[in-house]
Amino acid sequence: MPANLDDTDHRLLELLQHDSGRTLAALGELVGLSPSAVQRRIDRYRANGLLLREIAVLDPSPVLLAVCLVTLDQESPETHTRFREWVLAAPEVQQFYNVSGEHDYVVVLATTDMRHHRETAERVIKNAPHLRRYSTMFVLDPVRTTLTVPTRGN
Amino acid sequence: MPANLDDTDHRLLELLQHDSGRTLAALGELVGLSPSAVQRRIDRYRANGLLLREIAVLDPSPVLLAVCLVTLDQESPETHTRFREWVLAAPEVQQFYNVSGEHDYVVVLATTDMRHHRETAERVIKNAPHLRRYSTMFVLDPVRTTLTVPTRGN
DNA sequence: CGCGGGCACACAAGATTATTGCGCGAAAGT
DNA sequence: ACTTTCGCGCAATAATCTTGTGTGCCCGCG
């Protein structure tokens, strides 16, 4: 997170994280800059690696999401590397976090139905190298699904 | 998920979920359509509720993500409604899922550092109505963070 | 079977937006 | 003080989006 973001930067990043489809002119109206100044700031966010990409968000409600808590059978860089490569090869892996605590990873699988989930969970997780155990929580309702992060720090 | 998506729709939605910054002409090149045909399809996805919005994705690595597993003290529509409203009021709540199994909710908090996390977790979760217990897993490495969903179903 | 309607397409024209260069002022550095 | 750097708005140009039109294809109906 670059240390030199001013208040306008924070507001722009907030707006962009919620809706990146606005025109530069509309954004400029909201933060008090001209369209070209807005664009230059956005270019800077991209150039310094802060803004990674823009994505279209589809309605998650027809999809079967499953949050899987995964524990590996041993702790070493090699086991983690192999496990990650295995899991990352699957496009159904929507999210994948290495976490602290009694589990090693949280994996969110996005599939079209229960049959697809079972096939996916077996291929991606159950058959993964170095798996010790895993548990699955099915998402009954995706109440909020965003990727927003705070930009204001110390 | 609309039942009448053809192969070109699936490919477009896949491309858009990964990168919504391409021009209509670039997308059309990739799927074999003119720019205006691409646009009409995208308009249809928006009109039928499949495409919700476009967002900018920031680099999550400077941020402290915490995956919280939450269990409520009783099971009723009222407790769930009150809990949800409480949690949804917090902008630090990046993701919020109602799940099956021994926990009721998975909540992903996005904060700038540990102090911010502690303050947030106390306000948003510990002080939430109807909380029975919760546990937290800190994200050591956000290996993959997307919101992509599959569009091909039965 | 032919016909009409609906649908999706490409193309083209016009509208809108993005991009870029320029001059200016403010802030920082010497 | 002067110089340099940086970010700005403005304006011109280029690129992209939007929309209307004509065409072809498909389907259902008489």
Side-chain angles (χ1 to χ4, degrees), chain A residues 48-67:
Chain A
N48 66 25
L50 172 55
L51 196 162
L52 297 180
R53 70 189 78 90
E54 292 168 51
I55 61 170
V57 181
L58 303 192
D59 179 10
S61 46
V63 165
L64 178 54
L65 295 175
V67 182

Side-chain angles (χ1 to χ4, degrees), chain B residues 119-131:
Chain B
E119 181 273 321
T120 299
E122 174 154 7
R123 166 171 41 95
V124 175
I125 298 186
K126 193 172 174 186
N127 291 343
H130 299 296
L131 179 76

Side-chain angles (χ1 to χ4, degrees), chain A residues 22-25 35-36 39-40:
Chain A
R22 289 185 180 96
T23 61
L24 298 171
S36 61
Q39 178 184 63
R40 288 181 181 122

Side-chain angles (χ1 to χ4, degrees), chain B residues 4-80:
Chain B
N4 56 347
L5 298 177
D6 65 14
D7 191 63
T8 300
D9 288 319
H10 294 298
R11 291 167 64 200
L12 269 177
L13 289 163
E14 181 87 32
L15 292 166
L16 288 163
Q17 288 191 83
H18 284 94
D19 176 6
S20 67
R22 291 186 180 95
T23 62
L24 298 170
L27 283 169
E29 284 263 353
L30 290 168
V31 300
L33 290 178
S34 72
S36 62
V38 170
Q39 178 185 60
R40 290 183 173 121
R41 286 182 183 233
I42 294 172
D43 288 348
R44 284 203 292 272
Y45 308 150
R46 285 205 184 94
N48 66 25
L50 173 55
L51 196 163
L52 296 181
R53 71 190 77 92
E54 291 169 50
I55 61 169
V57 181
L58 303 193
D59 179 11
S61 45
V63 166
L64 179 56
L65 295 174
V67 181
C68 306
L69 308 179
V70 177
T71 305
L72 300 189
D73 63 8
Q74 57 181 302
E75 189 67 38
S76 79
E78 288 78 25
T79 58
H80 279 268

Side-chain angles (χ1 to χ4, degrees), chain A residues 114-146:
Chain A
M114 186 57 79
R115 195 186 59 173
H116 186 198
H117 168 80
R118 282 200 301 268
E119 181 273 322
T120 300
E122 174 155 6
R123 165 169 44 91
V124 175
I125 299 185
K126 193 170 173 186
N127 291 343
H130 299 294
L131 178 76
R132 176 155 134 236
R133 70 187 194 92
Y134 77 103
S135 63
T136 298
M137 298 176 278
F138 291 104
V139 172
L140 304 174
D141 180 19
V143 185
R144 179 184 287 177
T145 61
T146 77

